[in-house]
Amino acid sequence: NLSAIAGSYCSTSPPVTLVGSPAGGVFKIDGNVATAINPATLTAGNHTLTYDYSTPVSNCSSSTSKPFTVHPTPTLAFTNVKDAYCLAGSPFTMQATPAGGTFTINNVPATQFNIATLGIGNHTVKYSYTSPEGCSNTLSKPVQIADKPTITFVDLNPLYCSDVTAFNLQATPSGGTFKVNNAPATQFNPSTLPSGTYTIDYIYTDPTDATCFNSATTQVEVKPAPDMVWLDVLDNYCVTDDVLVQPTVKITPPQGPGLAPTPPDLQFNPSIVGAGKRNLSFGFTDVITGCSRTITKEVTVHALPTVAFMDLADAYCQQSFVVPLKATPAGGAFTVDGLPATELNPRDYAAGDVLLVRYDYADAQSCANFTEKEVEITPANVFTPIAEELKICPQPTYWLEALTTAEEQAYKATGITPVYFWKHTTASVRRISITEPSQSGEYEVTIRDNAGCPIAQKSYVLKVNCEPRLFIPTAFTPNADSKNEKLQIFGGDFIKLDFKVYNRWGEVIYTARSLEEMWDGNVKGKPAPAGIYAWTATFENTLKRGEVVRRQGQFSLIR
C-alpha cells in the first residue's frame, strides 16, 4: 500500500521518508533502492516509486508502483529595477519574470517604486512567485537612492592674473559641460580676457540615467598682471666688450609705471665673465592686485670667431698664377698691405717684397676677429724651355711626357711635388696618351712647384703618321736634254722594296730594290717606246713592324 505518497513535489520540498504496508519491503526510485524521496537530489521531471514485499515464511511476493513528478523551483529576475536611482527620478511599476508574483519594498507590499516617497538611502525590493505546480521562490535586490550628484570644481582658483595662460576646465564627476559667461567652453584663458569677474557653470547628467543631473556655479576674477620689460641689456655680447652691463626692468602696474633698481647680482662685464650664457631673473608683486610676475632673460657672451686663411702659401714667385684669397668662415674682407683685395697677383710686386695679407671677419653677433700673414714674393725660377718636333706612330699608344718618372722623383726628393698644366687640357697629369693620327698638333706643358712657380716648360710639335712615304713621278723624258732623264723613286719609312714597271702586255720590263735605283727608259739596251706604263711597289712599313704594303700606279714616258 503506497497511499501516503503524493503525486508531485517541488525541488525545494523536504525529504519524505518512505513507509510501506506491510512493512519490511524494499523501495526503489527509478530502479534504485531508496529509503526516502528527496526532491532536491532528483532531477525535475517524472519518476516511478516501486515497493517490493516478500512474506518471510511462504516467500510469497508482491509489488506495487506509483508515479510522481518533481517540479523545478521557478527562476526569477527583475526586468526594470536597477541597483541605484537619483532622487529626481520618476515613479515606475516594478516588473519581473515570470509575471504574476508579488512585490515588497522594505517588506511592505507594493507594485510601484516611488523614488521621491522612498527617499535617500538603501532599500530592499523582493519579488515572490508561486508556479502553477505550487513551487515558490523569492528574489531580493538592494536598491540605493542617492541625492543629486555632488559637483566639485577641480584646481579652479577664485583669482587669476592676466599672465596665466590657458588651462583646461575640470570638475567631478567628469563628463559634463562648462560655460563661461553662458558661452560653451572647455578652457579658461586669463591671458586673453579683460580684467573682470567671470561666471563659470558646470552641468552634469549621468550618462546612464537622464534623471540624475546637477549643476554648479562659481565666479572667477581676472586681474591685470604687471607688465615688465628688460632695459639696458642685450641678448648677445662679445667677449671683447669691456663694459659694465646694468640691466633694469620697466614695470607698468595699475598704479603707474616705474623702474626697478638693478640688483647687483644681475650686473656683469662680458670681457670678465667670458664666453657662455647668463640667465637673468627678476620678480615683482603688485601691491594693489596681488598679482606677481617673474621675467627671465638669457644673455649670451659669444667667443670671437676663429678665422684662418685657406690655401695661402708663405711665398710665391713672380711667375705664379693669380691667387684667389680665401679664408674661413667665409664672408669677411681681405686687405693686402692695407688695400682691399680679393686676390693676390705676384706679378704686381717686385721680387723680395714681403706683403701683409689680412682677413677681417664679423659674425652674426658682430663679434669680430682677424688674422694676418706675411707672404714673400720670390724671384722667378730660371729654366730653359724645351721645344721638340716628334714624328711618331703609336703602337698602340705613345705616351707624351712632361717629365720622365725619374725626373719627377728627383723633384719630389727636394720637397717639390710637380703640378702639370697642359695647354690643351685641365687635367694635371705627368703624361698624356697619343693613340691616333688626329692627335697631331702642338702640345705645351708648364710644370710648376708647390707654390705655383714654373720650374720647367716643354712644347712639342707632334706628327702622328703610321703610313710610309712613297712617290712615283707621273712622267719622265729620257730624250738626252738633261732634264727628267730618269724615273726616280721617292719616299721613306719602308724597307724590302720590290718596284716593277710593266709594258702594255703586262711584261715586267724594269725592277728596282732601293731608292737609289733609277730607270733610264731603256729595255735590254734599247729605248722603250713613248707611252703609258704601269708600276707596282711592295715593301715593309718600318712604322708598323711586320706590315707589308702594296701600291700601284702609272706614268708616262715622253720622248
Coordinates of all heavy atoms in Angstrom, one line a residue, residues 78 130 165 232 259 305 426 472 481 494 498:
F78 N 14.4 40.4 -12.0 CA 13.9 41.7 -12.2 C 14.1 42.2 -13.6 O 15.2 42.0 -14.1 CB 14.5 42.7 -11.2 CG 14.1 42.4 -9.7 CD1 15.1 41.9 -8.9 CD2 12.9 42.8 -9.2 CE1 14.7 41.6 -7.5 CE2 12.5 42.5 -7.9 CZ 13.5 41.9 -7.1
T130 N 4.8 31.9 -7.1 CA 4.4 30.5 -6.9 C 4.0 30.0 -8.3 O 3.0 30.6 -8.9 CB 3.3 30.3 -5.9 OG1 3.8 30.8 -4.6 CG2 3.0 28.8 -5.7
T165 N 48.4 81.5 -18.7 CA 48.0 81.0 -20.0 C 46.8 80.1 -19.8 O 46.4 79.7 -18.7 CB 49.1 80.3 -20.7 OG1 49.6 79.3 -19.9 CG2 50.3 81.3 -21.0
D232 N 68.3 98.2 -20.9 CA 69.7 98.3 -20.7 C 70.4 97.0 -20.7 O 71.5 96.8 -20.1 CB 70.0 99.1 -19.4 CG 69.3 100.4 -19.3 OD1 69.2 101.1 -20.3 OD2 68.8 100.7 -18.2
L259 N 60.5 102.1 -12.5 CA 61.7 101.4 -12.9 C 62.2 100.7 -11.6 O 62.4 101.3 -10.6 CB 62.9 102.3 -13.4 CG 62.6 102.9 -14.8 CD1 63.8 103.8 -15.2 CD2 62.5 101.8 -15.8
P305 N 85.0 84.7 -33.3 CA 85.0 83.7 -34.3 C 86.5 83.3 -34.6 O 87.4 84.1 -34.5 CB 84.4 84.3 -35.5 CG 84.5 85.8 -35.3 CD 84.5 86.0 -33.8
T426 N 92.7 70.5 -68.8 CA 92.8 71.0 -67.4 C 93.3 69.9 -66.5 O 93.5 70.1 -65.3 CB 91.4 71.4 -66.9 OG1 90.5 70.3 -67.0 CG2 90.8 72.5 -67.7
I472 N 106.0 58.3 -106.8 CA 106.5 58.0 -108.2 C 106.0 59.1 -109.1 O 104.8 59.3 -109.2 CB 105.9 56.6 -108.7 CG1 106.2 55.5 -107.6 CG2 106.5 56.2 -110.0 CD1 107.7 55.3 -107.4
D481 N 118.0 65.6 -123.0 CA 118.1 67.1 -122.8 C 118.5 67.4 -121.4 O 118.4 68.6 -121.0 CB 116.8 67.7 -123.1 CG 115.6 67.2 -122.2 OD1 115.9 66.3 -121.3 OD2 114.5 67.8 -122.3
F494 N 110.3 52.8 -95.1 CA 110.0 51.4 -95.6 C 111.3 50.7 -95.9 O 112.3 51.3 -96.2 CB 109.0 51.4 -96.8 CG 109.4 52.1 -98.0 CD1 110.3 51.6 -98.9 CD2 108.9 53.4 -98.2 CE1 110.7 52.3 -100.0 CE2 109.3 54.1 -99.3 CZ 110.2 53.6 -100.2
D498 N 110.2 46.2 -103.5 CA 110.2 45.5 -104.8 C 109.3 46.3 -105.7 O 108.1 46.3 -105.7 CB 109.5 44.1 -104.5 CG 109.5 43.2 -105.8 OD1 110.1 43.6 -106.8 OD2 108.8 42.2 -105.7

